[in-house]
């Protein structure tokens, strides 16, 4: 006996039908020849596939969401006696009838959603890898670079923007440490400085030291130290020529929205 042939026909890549058919085939101790035919969007191709299936004694499993192509396949198959099974159509029809809603009839939506998911994961991994200036090479690869003194919400902001699929690197600005030369190599539009009121930052740093069980009188949290850092920050901002956002009284979400608005208007 020749191997049974099953055609997988789809108006997208055919992954959904492929998974379903392979799951069904796994229930048999018989090798079957599965042939995937993706991106079928015209009636000529459908007619040729049905004729080929007839000659080979094959069956066709399909995920065609566009009603005209789907119905044409069903009609052609019925006309010449080819066995077909509609994998996604019946459930779409059932949902439409029960809930009185109209389908989009757009192929490949699941794949698009998967792509969005993986882009988001990639952006989150990028934000972690290039957090806190640990690898300046990320500055050149980033969609956006955040710079600011310590405790200006660079890390949580990078993570939040990653959820928007932006690859964000962030760099701490410290007077004793020369900034990475990569900061001066990128377009100024890709860099955003985060500034903050010194007294607000003084409160934040004191609370941070307390949470670590340290003395809140350490130089890290003194107004003098903070003002020196902010002066250095302003000089660097002038050198780069990038935009600045005051985060003194903004939640991370608010700052992220401001940044997204900036980027959309570029």
């Amino acid at each position: 006996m020749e191997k049974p042939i099953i055609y997988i026909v789809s108006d997208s890549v055919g992954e959904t039908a492929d998974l379903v058919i392979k799951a069904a085939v796994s229930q048999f101790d018989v090798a079957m020849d599965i042939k995937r035919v993706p991106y079928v969007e015209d009636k000529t191709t459908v007619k040729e596939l049905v004729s080929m299936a007839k000659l080979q004694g094959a069956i066709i499993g399909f995920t065609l969401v566009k009603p005209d192509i789907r119905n044409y396949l069903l009609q052609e198959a019925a006309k010449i006696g080819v066995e077909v099974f509609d994998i996604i159509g019946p459930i779409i029809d059932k949902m439409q009838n029960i809930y009185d809603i109209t389908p989009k009839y757009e192929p490949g939506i699941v794949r698009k959603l998967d792509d969005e998911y993986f882009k988001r994961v990639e952006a989150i991994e990028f934000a972690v890898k290039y957090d806190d200036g640990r690898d300046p090479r990320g500055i050149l690869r980033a969609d956006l670079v955040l710079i600011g003194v310590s405790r200006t919400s660079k890390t949580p902001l990078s993570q939040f923007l990653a959820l928007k699929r932006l690859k964000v690197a962030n760099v701490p600005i410290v007077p004793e440490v020369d900034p990475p030369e990569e900061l001066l190599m990128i377009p100024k539009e890709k860099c955003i400085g985060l500034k903050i009121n010194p007294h607000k930052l003084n409160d934040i740093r004191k609370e941070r030291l307390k949470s670590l069980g340290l003395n809140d009188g350490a130089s890290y949290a003194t107004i003098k130290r903070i003002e020196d850092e902010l002066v250095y920050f302003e000089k660097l901002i002038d050198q780069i020529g990038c935009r600045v956002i005051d985060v003194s009284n903004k939640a991370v979400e608010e700052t992220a929205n401001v940044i997204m608005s900036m980027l959309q208007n570029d």
Side-chain angles (χ1 to χ4, degrees):
M1 175 183 175
E2 293 186 7
K3 280 200 296 187
I5 298 173
I6 304 174
Y7 281 99
I8 297 174
V9 178
S10 175
D11 43 22
S12 184
V13 295
E15 288 180 344
T16 301
D18 192 56
L19 287 170
V20 172
I21 289 172
K22 284 180 178 176
V25 168
S26 70
Q27 298 298 313
F28 299 91
D29 291 324
V30 176
M32 299 190 192
D33 190 3
I34 300 173
K35 301 177 182 291
R36 193 195 301 193
V37 186
Y39 302 114
V40 174
E41 296 181 335
D42 62 277
K43 293 181 179 179
T44 301
T45 302
V46 169
K47 190 176 183 68
E48 291 172 353
L49 282 168
V50 172
S51 298
M52 194 178 303
K54 177 66 175 179
L55 289 172
Q56 297 174 330
I59 60 177
I60 298 175
F62 66 92
T63 50
L64 297 170
V65 297
K66 292 182 178 179
D68 56 333
I69 301 299
R70 174 187 167 200
N71 291 333
Y72 184 75
L73 173 56
L74 291 170
Q75 291 166 9
E76 287 298 303
K79 190 187 300 180
I80 62 174
V82 171
E83 291 291 333
V84 298
F85 50 100
D86 187 348
I87 293 169
I88 199 171
I91 187 63
I92 291 177
D93 292 343
K94 189 72 71 175
M95 289 177 177
Q96 181 178 12
N97 294 333
I98 291 176
Y99 301 121
D100 193 26
I101 51 178
T102 303
K104 294 180 180 180
Y105 297 125
E106 182 182 340
I109 291 179
V110 170
R111 186 173 180 81
K112 289 178 184 176
L113 292 174
D114 285 345
D115 288 344
E116 292 296 300
Y117 170 77
F118 287 115
K119 286 177 183 176
R120 188 177 294 115
V121 170
E122 185 180 3
I124 292 171
E125 291 175 345
F126 186 95
V128 171
K129 183 174 182 179
Y130 298 110
D131 181 45
D132 209 30
R134 63 183 61 173
D135 185 348
R137 291 175 298 180
I139 293 171
L140 301 177
R141 297 180 54 207
D143 298 321
L144 182 70
V145 180
L146 303 176
I147 63 174
V149 300
S150 175
R151 311 311 296 174
T152 48
S153 299
K154 297 184 297 299
T155 295
L157 187 54
S158 297
Q159 292 287 343
F160 191 91
L161 290 169
L163 296 175
K164 307 290 185 182
R165 302 179 301 283
L166 284 174
K167 294 179 179 178
V168 184
N170 73 77
V171 180
I173 303 305
V174 184
E176 294 80 11
V177 180
D178 291 335
E181 60 183 20
E182 286 85 354
L183 274 180
L184 300 175
M185 296 168 60
I186 61 172
K188 63 182 181 180
E189 294 79 13
K190 288 181 65 174
C191 183
I192 293 180
L194 305 176
K195 73 176 183 179
I196 190 169
N197 177 280
H199 295 285
K200 176 73 172 180
L201 184 55
N202 178 243
D203 292 338
I204 292 172
R205 287 190 177 182
K206 283 183 176 180
E207 289 302 315
R208 175 60 175 166
L209 289 172
K210 287 179 183 177
S211 71
L212 295 173
L214 301 174
N215 182 356
D216 65 2
S219 62
Y220 170 75
T222 63
I223 284 290
K224 175 65 169 62
R225 171 64 188 185
I226 288 170
E227 288 177 341
D228 288 345
E229 289 185 27
L230 292 176
V231 167
Y232 180 73
F233 167 78
E234 292 290 348
K235 288 180 180 177
L236 182 59
I237 289 297
D238 290 341
Q239 185 179 0
I240 297 172
C242 65
R243 293 171 287 193
V244 177
I245 299 173
D246 190 335
V247 299
S248 302
N249 298 301
K250 286 185 174 67
V252 169
E253 294 86 349
E254 292 178 90
T255 306
N257 288 336
V258 172
I259 290 173
M260 293 300 294
S261 180
M262 283 179 172
L263 297 178
Q264 287 167 5
N265 292 328
D266 281 348

